[in-house]
Amino acid sequence: MAMKDYSDEFKADAVALYESTPRATYKDIAADLGINRATLREWVLRYRDRRAVALTDARQGGTAPARAGQSPASTDPDERIRRLEARVAELEAIEQKLATERDILRKAAKYFAGGDELVSRFQFVHDHRDTYEVKRLCEILDVNRSSYYKWLAGADARAARRREDRVLAERIRRIHTDSGGAYGSPRVTAELRETGARVNHKRVARVMRTHGIAGIRLRRRVRTTVPDPAATVVPDLFQRDFNAPEQGRKYMGDITYLPLAGGDFLYLATVLDCFSRRVVGWSIADHMRTDLVADALRMAPATRGGLDGAVFHSDHGAQYGSRAFTELCSALGVTRSMGAVGSSADNAACESFHASLKRETLQGARDFGDPAGCRRTVFAWLTRYNTRRRHSANGHLSPNEYERRQHTAKLTLAA
């Protein structure tokens, strides 16, 4: 069942998802989000109208009253029609320009998958020079045309280096395999030099990075559960039973980190219904304060229509034990439950959910890139998880479909 009230944040994320998805249709995106197609279209059109007005005001320096000595607006209908037609033509030109820029940037996305490098932008300009003007491509991608042509002149030298790099990559791969996948660039460089090769360690690192060869590295663990020693003792009402006889009875929540490029993080708090594993609330922020988990829990009543009488289970993180969160639970009619301190098994279902999210969104990558891209990716996965992703706990039905069928079966039995 769809959420009744949508927050401004949800609407903005939905529009951003549609605008950033190549060849997106209202039908497909709306199905992923679990909303009506017309609703999504209205949000997108409203956003585009605001953007067009803002761009027009910016180009004209804003709307100002007529200066002294200027004639008032003409009352002649024909003159007004001509002015309106001119304004429409101007807005259409702006929209066409924006559409072209959006099309170019969407096509450029795959070139920047490994990072927005200058070489990637040059390559994109070269590959699309027959479709768009080189000048236009360089302006949109913020590159100098003379630099692009200089890069183009060095094509033969780059091709020769790529051939040499491929030969070196095969030697590196053999050394890497012989080490059981453990050697990184320093040890691979040492092995190569041992065989007489004169090679710089920076080149080895670059070739390994380009060909996806990496040694074993332990990932820095981010601690998201920090217990508050002053918090009131809360009993464990779940006892590791993460199932529920019907929806809206038992909920569980947790926080996980979302790695970004450069070593920074965003944080995601979720609220899941134990009955169907449906995500009924979530929040993404650049902090782990109580507001993060509180915003996620506040979203749940908008989805379910209320939480009165439900049990909410979490770990012993300071956010869940804070006074503000305790008061929020009381206001919503929610009974709190907490597992043992330091035991991930007492919140295993949420841990498993977050592991699936990262595995399926990162797909082996080390980070989500920039914060905006991270938000869009996680937002798209969370909504698709509810509407389309098949879950083993539901007999391989999506959470929404499982709830719908259970509701139908219950009505049939009642009849």
Side-chain angles (χ1 to χ4, degrees):
M1 290 175 282
M3 193 189 309
K4 301 301 181 184
D5 299 317
Y6 300 95
S7 65
D8 292 339
E9 181 182 11
F10 185 96
K11 294 177 183 178
D13 286 337
V15 172
L17 177 62
Y18 174 82
E19 292 287 321
S20 63
T21 303
R23 296 182 297 279
T25 65
Y26 291 120
K27 180 180 178 181
D28 290 342
I29 298 299
D32 284 346
L33 301 179
I35 62 177
N36 186 275
R37 174 186 175 278
T39 300
L40 176 62
R41 183 175 181 273
E42 179 184 353
W43 294 348
V44 173
L45 292 180
R46 191 181 305 162
Y47 163 77
R48 288 177 176 174
D49 287 343
R50 289 198 300 266
R51 182 179 62 185
V53 171
L55 286 173
T56 303
D57 290 344
R59 288 165 60 91
Q60 296 179 347
T63 303
R67 295 189 180 92
Q70 288 184 335
S71 60
S74 173
T75 58
D76 180 22
D78 292 337
E79 177 65 20
R80 293 182 64 188
I81 290 174
R82 284 193 292 272
R83 290 185 179 182
L84 288 174
E85 288 177 343
R87 180 60 185 274
V88 169
E90 181 182 3
L91 292 176
E92 287 178 347
I94 293 174
E95 179 62 25
Q96 180 60 38
K97 179 180 178 182
L98 292 174
T100 301
E101 292 179 357
R102 183 168 61 248
D103 185 50
I104 291 174
L105 291 174
R106 281 178 175 173
K107 290 180 180 179
K110 66 180 180 180
Y111 285 77
F112 305 150
D116 184 8
E117 299 177 359
L118 189 60
V119 171
S120 299
R121 285 185 263 178
F122 285 155
Q123 187 64 53
F124 180 82
V125 172
H126 182 67
D127 291 346
H128 294 80
R129 67 192 186 282
D130 295 331
T131 306
Y132 307 99
E133 293 182 353
V134 170
K135 178 181 179 181
R136 182 76 167 139
L137 290 167
C138 290
E139 287 177 351
I140 293 175
L141 297 182
D142 194 25
V143 297
N144 191 293
R145 269 192 295 168
S146 61
S147 298
Y148 160 70
Y149 286 119
K150 183 177 180 180
W151 172 86
L152 192 60
D156 292 340
R158 288 197 303 276
R161 284 197 298 271
R162 284 196 295 270
R163 288 192 295 270
E164 294 172 357
D165 285 349
R166 284 195 293 270
V167 173
L168 178 60
E170 289 303 315
R171 297 182 64 182
I172 291 174
R173 201 179 301 279
R174 285 194 295 269
I175 294 173
H176 184 260
T177 301
D178 291 343
S179 72
Y183 277 10
S185 58
R187 288 186 173 84
V188 169
T189 302
E191 285 286 335
L192 288 169
R193 289 175 177 173
E194 189 72 22
T195 61
R198 299 180 61 182
V199 60
N200 186 284
H201 73 280
K202 292 183 179 180
R203 184 186 176 196
V204 173
R206 175 178 57 79
V207 171
M208 291 181 67
R209 184 169 57 252
T210 301
H211 290 80
I213 307 171
I216 296 175
R217 294 177 58 187
L218 295 178
R219 200 172 200 173
R220 179 163 61 98
R221 186 175 180 84
V222 178
R223 189 183 186 193
T224 57
T225 303
V226 181
D228 183 357
T232 304
V233 176
V234 177
D236 184 355
L237 302 179
F238 271 36
Q239 296 296 319
R240 302 187 181 180
D241 178 9
F242 303 107
N243 300 307
E246 59 186 46
Q247 71 180 48
R249 295 278 295 275
K250 296 169 64 176
Y251 296 97
M252 51 188 171
D254 199 5
I255 303 173
T256 192
Y257 69 95
L258 306 172
L260 304 175
D264 293 329
F265 299 92
L266 289 181
Y267 299 91
L268 168 69
T270 51
V271 179
L272 279 67
D273 192 320
C274 294
F275 174 71
S276 61
R277 299 300 195 269
R278 180 180 177 182
V279 187
V280 297
W282 73 81
S283 179
I284 302 174
D286 59 358
H287 61 79
M288 289 198 301
R289 297 189 293 273
T290 301
D291 287 346
L292 176 68
V293 297
D295 288 343
L297 188 62
R298 288 192 188 98
M299 182 179 175
T303 305
R304 286 303 193 201
L307 298 179
D308 190 38
V311 176
F312 176 76
H313 183 80
S314 68
D315 58 25
H316 274 268
Q319 302 87 345
Y320 293 110
S322 67
R323 177 179 297 178
F325 189 78
T326 302
E327 292 174 351
L328 175 61
C329 288
S330 298
L332 295 175
V334 173
T335 301
R336 291 191 301 154
S337 170
M338 285 187 174
V341 177
S343 175
S344 60
D346 287 350
N347 207 19
C350 269
E351 298 274 356
S352 176
F353 169 80
H354 288 153
S356 297
L357 184 154
K358 292 180 183 178
R359 182 175 62 252
E360 296 178 17
T361 53
L362 286 173
Q363 297 184 0
R366 296 183 180 274
D367 58 70
F368 288 92
D370 61 79
C374 177
R375 285 187 63 93
R376 288 195 299 269
T377 299
V378 174
F379 174 76
W381 190 91
L382 288 172
T383 51
R384 187 179 178 85
Y385 170 90
N386 280 341
T387 58
R388 296 193 178 188
R389 185 184 181 277
R390 299 180 183 274
H391 201 296
S392 58
N394 298 337
H396 294 289
L397 297 174
S398 71
N400 284 7
E401 180 62 15
Y402 180 77
E403 290 185 0
R404 188 191 68 80
R405 293 195 185 187
Q406 292 297 319
H407 181 68
T408 301
K410 188 174 181 179
L411 292 177
T412 302
L413 289 175

